[in-house]
């Protein structure tokens, strides 16, 4: 569309959700993979085994948890997902240099992902449907992820350059968890959602 009134305003909550996701992934995704590799003695075999175990846990968990959001339990899913995510981040921070605990913490990440991905993406895609211009919406939200991910990587790299342990950089992800929990709780509670009728009238 050459003009799409309110496109940015409607995309802003989802943009912030993606920014929190990017920050989380930078701190407990990229930084964690480095910490796990070092904890496993820089062994590609051990690292590959840990990743394979995580994939297996994710596949089994997905079969069990896949319909939770569709059952209309969005608010409960937010608390379960982000509470579990916070616990996972703390566990990963504590497991640096402890091989067995690190493997467990890595596998549990796949379990949390089975809750996390549908919880955040259901909210984002529903908001995209309400947008007067889905293209502008997704460009904006993806830009939010890039901002969150880049700033998270810079923050983690800065701490590492200053001599902070990797466990500290992993804990930075808690800031993204707090923001994501706040935004998604508002969404599933019906706060700040632009009605579809209002979008149609403004187009």
């Amino acid at each position: 569309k050459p003009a799409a009134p309110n496109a940015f305003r409607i995309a802003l909550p989802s943009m912030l959700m993606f920014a929190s996701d990017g920050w989380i992934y930078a701190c407990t995704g990229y930084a964690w993979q480095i910490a796990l590799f070092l904890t496993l003695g820089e062994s590609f075999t051990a690292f590959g085994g840990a990743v394979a175990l995580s994939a297996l846990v994710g596949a089994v968990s997905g079969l069990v948890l896949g319909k939770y959001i569709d059952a209309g339990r969005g608010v409960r899913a937010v608390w379960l997902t982000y509470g579990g995510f916070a616990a996972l981040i703390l566990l990963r921070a504590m497991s640096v240099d402890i091989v067995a605990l690190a493997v467990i913490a890595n596998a549990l990440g796949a379990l949390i992902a089975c809750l996390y991905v549908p919880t955040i993406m259901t909210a984002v895609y529903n908001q995209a449907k309400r947008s007067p211009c889905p293209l502008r919406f997704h460009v904006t939200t993806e830009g939010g992820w890039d901002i969150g991910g880049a700033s998270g990587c810079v923050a983690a790299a800065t701490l590492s350059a200053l001599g902070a342990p990797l466990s500290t950089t992993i804990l930075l992800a808690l800031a993204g968890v707090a923001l994501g929990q706040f935004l998604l709780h508002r969404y599933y509670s019906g706060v700040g959602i632009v009605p579809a009728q209002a979008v149609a009238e403004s187009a």
Side-chain angles (χ1 to χ4, degrees):
K1 290 183 179 182
N6 299 318
F8 178 77
R9 179 170 68 87
I10 294 170
L12 184 58
S14 292
M15 183 188 75
L16 293 174
M17 290 176 193
F18 263 30
S20 72
D21 180 58
W23 177 277
I24 291 170
Y25 198 85
C27 300
T28 194
Y30 299 137
W32 165 250
Q33 295 301 319
I34 295 171
L36 177 64
F37 183 67
L38 294 175
T39 298
L40 295 176
E42 301 182 42
S43 167
F44 287 102
T45 301
F47 184 78
V51 172
L53 176 62
S54 177
L56 177 62
V57 171
V60 174
S61 302
L63 295 174
V64 178
L65 302 172
K67 297 182 179 179
Y68 196 78
I69 298 296
D70 292 337
R73 302 188 180 94
V75 173
R76 291 183 183 180
V78 170
W79 283 105
L80 177 62
T81 298
Y82 282 90
F85 220 146
L88 175 66
I89 291 167
L90 293 174
L91 179 62
R92 286 184 169 182
M94 291 187 298
S95 67
V96 174
D97 298 328
I98 305 176
V99 174
L101 194 58
V103 172
I104 293 171
N106 191 64
L108 289 177
L111 174 62
I112 297 299
C114 290
L115 289 172
Y116 178 70
V117 173
T119 300
I120 186 172
M121 295 312 297
T122 296
V124 170
Y125 285 143
N126 283 345
Q127 288 294 283
K129 293 176 185 177
R130 298 172 182 272
S131 173
C133 179
L135 176 60
R136 288 179 173 86
F137 179 92
H138 287 297
V139 169
T140 302
T141 54
E142 290 297 333
W145 197 98
D146 292 340
I147 292 171
S151 59
C153 286
V154 169
T158 300
L159 283 179
S160 295
L162 294 174
L166 283 171
S167 58
T168 302
T169 64
I170 292 169
L171 289 174
L172 286 176
L174 291 173
V177 168
L179 176 59
Q181 194 278 338
F182 171 76
L183 292 169
L184 282 164
H185 187 273
R186 281 173 57 88
Y187 171 80
Y188 285 109
S189 299
V191 179
I193 298 176
V194 179
Q197 181 181 357
V199 174
E201 292 174 352
S202 66

